Amino acid sequence: MIISDEFKGIYMHIPFCNNKCIYCDFVSTVEQRSQESYVKALICEIEREKCNQKIDSVYIGGGTPSTLYDGAILEVLNAVQQCFVLQDSCEITIELNPESVTEKKLIEYKKAGVNRISMGLQCADDDMLKSIGRKHSVQTFMDASKSIRQHFDNFSTDLILGLPLLKNDSQNDKSKSELSFELINKSIETALECQVKHISAYALKIEQKTRLHKKQCDFDLCDDDLIAILYDYTVEQLSKRGFHRYEISNFALQGYQSKHNLKYWTNGDYYGFGVSACGRHGLSYVKNTDNIKKYISGALPNVDKISVEQYKQDCIMLSLRLTRGLSLSKYRELFKEDLLQTKSAQINQLLDNGFITIESDRLRVLEKYLYVSNSIILKIIN
Ligand code: SF4
């Protein structure tokens, strides 16, 4: 039997943005008129789930939560406090965009209990930021960081690897590879100068139905090989500066790993509130509508049950994204099954080929293969 965790997380989706970035496929809108009714619907959903559940992480993402009207985050987090049992050590993160940071908002977030900020830099080049549809400049990010540091110590940023160069740019005398390395160097330096404690560095994915997907021919895209080289280089540079990679794309100074993200990767349980949000409770997945109007009108989520076999696969896939890997004893405790026995042929082959290792209780993918770990993980679960 799968027993739900003692502590759960909460993810809340705020779908409003100042603009739509060309690569973005998240559920978001630039139409701001429904903000108040959206917040009401969100609080209604939170109140519907009221119980004595202990919560140790809350993540307010989007969209751009900092585009909400003043006071909204305080209202929403008050509702969370009243409906659940937030632990003293609860990590409460909010995503901000540099152009919407104000002193007033930061004070409100602090008062509401927020203790971790995530603000995307994406890259440290103004022309590139403009070409991918971001509204901020490098200086705006640096100014906003300064304000954040006056109120919050735990501050994370996102970088995108392999951003597409505008065709005109790539016609100058530098190669695409040189320009990409220059960009990642500048981006890392800017992030460190702003004293971030955590960095998520993601490879750009061209998603269907995005403007980037439609306008690919205007850009000089980085191929997978170049992105893989940029990724290895980023790992090396960040490691030299004390940022330990704890998940494929996530790096942190000691003590600053994201509790909320770790909950996903260790197969923990969490609520998902807001449009398009997904929650997980043992074998149940709870998914809200992707339609903002329907969400505001009170559409109820869909609940899907997964099989224990699927749950096992999820557990292996998610845990092996972590550099510390999967705890064999936890797996045994959860599923009453010894993974080394049930998957002995697959695991022995991967061990012989040097892709994975087992050290005391942990099975993990070797760091140098983490970037391509999907194919390794599939060999274990199939
Ligand atoms: S700010 Fe974030 S959520 Fe909004 S459009 Fe850009 S990438 Fe998407």
Side-chain angles (χ1 to χ4, degrees), residues 156-370:
S156 172
T157 196
D158 297 341
L159 302 179
I160 304 179
L161 304 178
L163 280 165
L165 305 166
L166 269 174
K167 283 217 164 128
N168 292 343
D169 285 350
S170 58
Q171 279 162 16
N172 74 24
D173 51 357
K174 287 186 185 157
S175 69
K176 185 162 54 182
S177 162
E178 280 174 297
L179 287 167
S180 299
F181 273 97
E182 269 181 19
L183 187 58
I184 193 65
N185 275 328
K186 274 199 288 181
S187 306
I188 291 173
E189 285 314 314
T190 305
L192 298 184
E193 205 181 312
C194 292
Q195 297 171 33
V196 301
K197 304 295 195 308
H198 181 281
I199 295 178
S200 302
Y202 297 105
L204 180 80
K205 266 175 77 187
I206 301 179
E207 306 284 0
Q208 300 276 337
K209 295 187 188 158
T210 59
R211 270 194 292 146
L212 180 58
H213 189 260
K214 287 183 203 132
K215 296 212 155 215
Q216 281 179 64
C217 54
D218 293 347
F219 291 96
D220 201 358
L221 302 168
C222 295
D223 58 38
D224 289 348
D225 289 345
L226 176 55
I227 294 180
I229 295 168
L230 287 169
Y231 173 77
D232 285 344
Y233 178 77
T234 304
V235 174
E236 188 190 312
Q237 294 306 307
L238 288 176
S239 148
K240 279 185 193 160
R241 315 296 276 273
F243 281 76
H244 168 67
R245 175 172 55 165
Y246 65 103
E247 190 268 349
I248 299 175
S249 305
N250 284 276
F251 306 78
L253 293 178
Q254 176 109 31
Y256 288 94
Q257 295 183 358
S258 160
K259 268 197 202 174
H260 189 79
N261 289 350
L262 278 171
K263 194 170 281 298
Y264 297 143
W265 298 317
T266 52
N267 227 28
D269 285 351
Y270 51 89
Y271 293 88
F273 296 135
V275 67
S276 77
C278 182
R280 170 182 186 145
H281 308 276
L283 298 178
S284 300
Y285 277 95
V286 183
K287 169 83 175 74
N288 270 329
T289 170
D290 284 345
N291 183 303
I292 297 175
K293 273 194 189 147
K294 284 187 184 161
Y295 178 77
I296 291 174
S297 311
L300 293 173
N302 281 331
V303 181
D304 281 327
K305 283 262 181 206
I306 57 163
S307 64
V308 174
E309 209 43 50
Q310 180 63 54
Y311 190 81
K312 283 181 196 170
Q313 293 189 358
D314 289 355
C315 178
I316 296 169
M317 289 208 72
L318 293 164
S319 308
L320 291 183
R321 293 181 63 92
L322 296 168
T323 46
R324 70 182 193 211
L326 177 143
S327 162
L328 293 164
S329 58
K330 196 175 166 202
Y331 187 91
R332 203 177 307 120
E333 195 186 321
L334 202 56
F335 300 114
K336 311 288 174 256
E337 169 188 317
D338 185 345
L339 186 67
L340 297 186
Q341 274 182 7
T342 50
K343 297 284 180 181
S344 64
Q346 297 91 321
I347 289 175
N348 283 333
Q349 196 185 9
L350 289 167
L351 280 169
D352 289 346
N353 291 330
F355 291 123
I356 59 170
T357 179
I358 298 173
E359 283 154 12
S360 56
D361 181 42
R362 298 233 161 231
L363 183 153
R364 62 179 179 85
V365 176
L366 287 191
E367 285 222 29
K368 62 180 168 182
Y369 297 119
L370 259 190

Side-chain angles (χ1 to χ4, degrees), residues 13-28 62-64 95 97 99 122 132-134:
H13 192 81
I14 308 293
F16 304 100
C17 287
N18 290 330
N19 59 297
K20 188 78 183 171
C21 304
I22 64 167
Y23 54 86
C24 176
D25 75 336
F26 295 128
V27 173
S28 69
T64 310
E95 285 180 355
N97 270 1
E99 70 276 11
Q122 320 309 347
I132 58 173
R134 303 297 304 202

